Amino acid sequence: MTRLCETEGLTEDQIQILKAVRTFTEEKIIPVATELEHADEYPQEIVDGLKELGVFGLMIPEEYDGLGESLLTYALVVEEIARGWMSVSGVINTHFIVAYMIMQHGTEEQKKKYLPKMATGEIRGSFSMSEPGLGSDVAAIKTKATKNDDGGYTIDGAKMWLTNGGSSNLIAVLVKTDEGAESVYKNMSTFLVEKEEGFGETAPGLTIPGKIDKMGYKGVDTTEAVFEGHQIGAEQILGGEAGKGFYQMMDGVEVGRVNVAARACGIANRAFELGIDYAQTRETFGKPIAEHQAILFRLAEMATKVEAAHSMMVRAARLKDKGERNDVEAGMAKYLAAEYCNEVVEASFRIHGGYGYSKEYEIERLYREAAFMLIGEGTADIQKMIIGRSMLKEYKKA
């Protein structure tokens, strides 16, 4: 869809970046997305192309060889890429979160060491909070970093759902440390763990078992990470100080939720495009099905939901760019965009009729991908909890 708000308030540089990404998506991603997705094949050529465009360093400051762009620019870029293939935006997302966390919370040494190489894609990031059996209950993590006599740490435990777990060579991992604090949240630290790309033992005491087979979100590698006596120095604690990991991760998740909202917008946009195109070419009872009132109304609802989700995503990104807290707005954007994404994709699926169930049609892939938006970066219920608690504070009865 062409939106009036697409270029509103954007600089000429931002507009040119979006045009370049849209062209790349049209020429390099959409034509091969379904084939690669069905084969569960990592999109290496696409990733290499995004490196050349500078997408991996989009928000990294210029002093560290990035483009120094805003979260809004990044979100609009992600929306375009997800419109082509959601898995590609997933390749970028966790890398982006790790880079953001280092930018916001890293020591100057950590910034100089990692950010320039992250900007080029030479260093690729993944991050990990979740563990087997825990899901969104971050406070219950069991992976632990025990302090050694030499001042270093030993990490033991298992982490789950690492996007880019195999293809990355830097993991930001949340673990328990003993800081003697009463609050469990102040007894967590984020470590920057270096590893080799690939599967198996990728660093001494760190094993990436292999890809998790998923319903959708194919191509990108989603893995576990098993730590067994992994030795790491104290200088690899993000920010150089233990006990701040939970808050660092939550800051990263906030921008990650804007990213997921953008991905959901991209999928919904593509589903609408496919639906309205099919509705104008498929004929029943002597006329295109788009001229039947039932289909026409469905298209109107789809278009409205695409626009509404996009607008809320943009608002959440702009708030963060202003330096304001946006946990509620990010939660709202993620929740609404994910729900509307699934509704728009299902509506497009219905418009396609029996053909929508065929793997020859792109909507079949989108139907499987949209479901991930409901759970990625926190389920709908988690977003409602964040939003609801904030509303109670804001409208507290005297």
Side-chain angles (χ1 to χ4, degrees):
M1 293 179 67
T2 301
R3 303 186 187 89
L4 294 176
C5 59
E6 262 186 350
T7 58
E8 184 180 349
L10 299 183
T11 66
E12 185 60 32
D13 285 346
Q14 289 172 315
I15 293 169
Q16 292 306 314
I17 288 170
L18 288 176
K19 284 183 178 178
V21 172
R22 178 170 295 180
T23 299
F24 183 85
T25 299
E26 291 284 348
E27 295 179 356
K28 303 296 183 181
I29 299 180
I30 290 176
V32 299
T34 297
E35 180 183 353
L36 292 176
E37 197 272 349
H38 287 170
D40 198 8
E41 183 178 334
Y42 187 79
Q44 188 61 58
E45 289 188 14
I46 294 173
V47 170
D48 290 341
L50 293 175
K51 287 180 182 178
E52 292 180 14
L53 282 177
V55 170
F56 283 92
L58 197 60
M59 279 188 67
I60 293 174
E62 292 180 7
E63 63 183 296
Y64 300 109
D65 300 334
L67 298 180
E69 279 295 337
S70 64
L71 178 60
L72 174 61
T73 309
Y74 181 80
L76 295 174
V77 164
V78 165
E79 184 180 26
E80 289 293 340
I81 292 172
R83 174 179 159 267
W85 184 15
M86 190 272 288
S87 290
V88 177
S89 63
V91 170
I92 301 163
N93 180 37
T94 50
H95 172 85
F96 150 70
I97 292 175
V98 176
Y100 173 83
M101 289 169 63
I102 293 173
M103 287 188 296
Q104 295 298 114
H105 306 286
T107 64
E108 188 56 37
E109 290 76 15
Q110 290 168 347
K111 292 176 184 179
K112 289 178 179 177
K113 181 179 181 181
Y114 294 118
L115 291 180
K117 292 183 179 180
M118 295 187 83
T120 62
E122 181 181 346
I123 290 180
R124 298 269 301 286
S126 60
F127 85 114
S128 176
M129 290 192 299
S130 187
E131 296 183 5
L134 298 183
S136 299
D137 187 7
V138 179
I141 64 170
K142 298 176 181 177
T143 301
K144 183 183 296 185
T146 306
K147 198 165 188 177
N148 304 328
D149 292 338
D150 62 2
Y153 289 81
T154 301
I155 301 179
D156 291 287
K159 306 299 284 188
M160 192 70 173
W161 305 118
L162 281 77
T163 301
N164 292 336
S167 54
S168 65
N169 42 24
L170 181 68
I171 305 175
V173 58
L174 184 68
V175 301
K176 280 191 173 179
T177 50
D178 186 6
E179 307 310 311
E182 291 184 8
S183 170
V184 63
Y185 299 107
K186 295 182 179 180
N187 288 311
M188 297 184 189
S189 303
T190 300
F191 280 82
L192 299 174
V193 178
E194 298 179 4
K195 59 179 277 293
E196 296 293 326
E197 295 179 26
F199 302 97
E201 189 172 21
T202 56
L206 170 58
T207 300
I208 306 296
K211 293 199 300 184
I212 298 169
D213 193 16
K214 309 180 296 290
M215 177 179 78
Y217 200 22
K218 302 282 190 176
V220 61
D221 49 291
T222 306
T223 74
E224 299 175 69
V226 181
F227 293 88
E228 296 177 298
H230 178 73
Q231 302 298 309
I232 192 166
E235 73 279 0
Q236 294 303 111
I237 298 174
L238 180 62
E241 185 178 347
K244 296 185 176 181
F246 176 79
Y247 306 99
Q248 294 165 344
M249 280 281 178
M250 289 303 103
D251 189 24
V253 167
E254 271 187 27
V255 293
R257 284 176 179 153
V258 173
N259 177 290
V260 173
R263 291 157 75 180
C265 288
I267 295 172
N269 200 351
R270 183 61 178 167
F272 173 79
E273 291 173 348
L274 294 172
I276 198 167
D277 181 67
Y278 186 82
Q280 292 176 86
T281 55
R282 172 79 163 127
E283 292 189 1
T284 62
F285 304 103
K287 61 182 179 181
I289 62 173
E291 295 181 17
H292 295 292
Q293 189 179 72
I295 301 297
L296 190 65
F297 283 8
R298 184 167 285 160
L299 291 170
E301 291 171 359
M302 291 162 67
T304 303
K305 289 173 181 178
V306 168
E307 292 288 349
H310 173 84
S311 296
M312 187 160 281
M313 178 271 291
V314 167
R315 179 169 179 264
R318 282 184 165 149
L319 271 177
K320 193 73 172 177
D321 283 333
K322 290 178 182 178
E324 299 179 23
R325 184 172 177 176
N326 80 332
D327 54 336
V328 174
E329 287 75 16
M332 286 180 171
K334 193 274 174 184
Y335 166 61
L336 187 77
E339 296 295 330
Y340 277 180
C341 172
N342 275 266
E343 291 172 14
V344 170
V345 169
E346 182 171 345
S348 184
F349 177 81
R350 289 172 182 267
I351 287 172
H352 280 77
Y355 287 108
Y357 208 64
S358 167
K359 287 196 172 186
E360 294 181 18
Y361 281 75
E362 192 176 340
I363 191 64
E364 180 272 342
R365 169 171 61 83
L366 300 185
Y367 194 82
R368 289 182 289 105
E369 290 178 337
F372 178 71
M373 299 295 95
L374 296 172
I375 56 176
E377 305 296 355
T379 64
D381 289 338
I382 290 294
Q383 310 312 318
K384 290 177 186 177
M385 193 177 299
I386 293 169
I387 298 163
R389 285 174 176 172
S390 177
M391 294 302 101
L392 287 178
K393 288 180 182 178
E394 187 172 344
Y395 295 94
K396 189 172 184 179
K397 190 173 181 179

